[in-house]
Amino acid sequence: MAKDEVQDQAASELIDAKIGSLMDWRGATLARMRALIREADPDVVEEVKWRGVPVWSHGGIICTGETYKSVVKTFMKGASLVDPAGLFNSSLEGNARRAIDIREGEMIDESAFKALIGEAVALNMSRKTAR
């Protein structure tokens, strides 16, 4: 197994553990968002950064899976993305970050979320090829 594959597997296992440690709605929400991210981008790379925060990357960071007491928060570069469905509902004044805060009992438009993932990947790849 290549070094990158080992790192990817270790990160995936850490994310599994994080989800398993959240014994409430946050774990289920994070697991669902993870599944949607993987559906939207089968080539996504799972990482863990910043004291255990799940991060999904493809040519750069796509989004995060931050968990707080009352929300599960996603995205970092949302200010650069078009959001026709209006999913971004937090950090709306930021220069880089736009977040989707998901609260207990809330459902997210899955198609719109997957479209944002695809848009984030396309943005990362366009920046990578522009260098």
Side-chain angles (χ1 to χ4, degrees):
M1 191 176 293
K3 182 179 177 183
D4 287 347
E5 290 174 343
V6 170
Q7 289 174 335
D8 292 349
Q9 181 179 356
S12 292
E13 289 171 1
L14 287 171
I15 294 171
D16 289 342
K18 172 81 171 189
I19 290 168
S21 74
L22 297 165
M23 305 293 272
D24 58 14
W25 65 272
R26 296 172 302 160
T29 299
L30 186 57
R32 183 66 193 135
M33 302 319 295
R34 180 191 202 186
L36 292 173
I37 293 163
R38 289 173 159 179
E39 287 172 21
D41 182 13
D43 296 323
V44 72
V45 174
E46 293 189 318
E47 303 173 280
V48 176
K49 297 181 182 276
W50 315 298
R51 296 186 194 146
V53 174
V55 175
W56 291 272
S57 299
H58 185 151
I61 293 174
I62 300 168
C63 66
T64 63
E66 300 167 59
T67 54
Y68 299 94
K69 184 176 181 179
S70 62
V71 296
V72 172
K73 185 180 288 278
T74 63
F75 281 91
M76 287 192 60
K77 298 178 189 172
S80 300
L81 305 177
V82 177
D83 180 22
L87 294 182
F88 292 126
N89 60 6
S90 179
S91 306
L92 300 178
E93 289 79 31
N95 291 332
R97 184 179 181 109
R98 294 279 190 281
I100 301 170
D101 284 1
I102 306 166
R103 289 170 179 73
E104 185 173 7
E106 290 182 343
M107 299 300 290
I108 192 166
D109 180 329
E110 294 181 358
S111 296
F113 182 78
K114 292 193 314 189
L116 282 175
I117 296 296
E119 190 178 341
V121 171
L123 176 67
N124 286 348
M125 299 312 287
S126 71
R127 288 180 175 169
K128 200 170 190 175
T129 58
R131 292 182 189 165

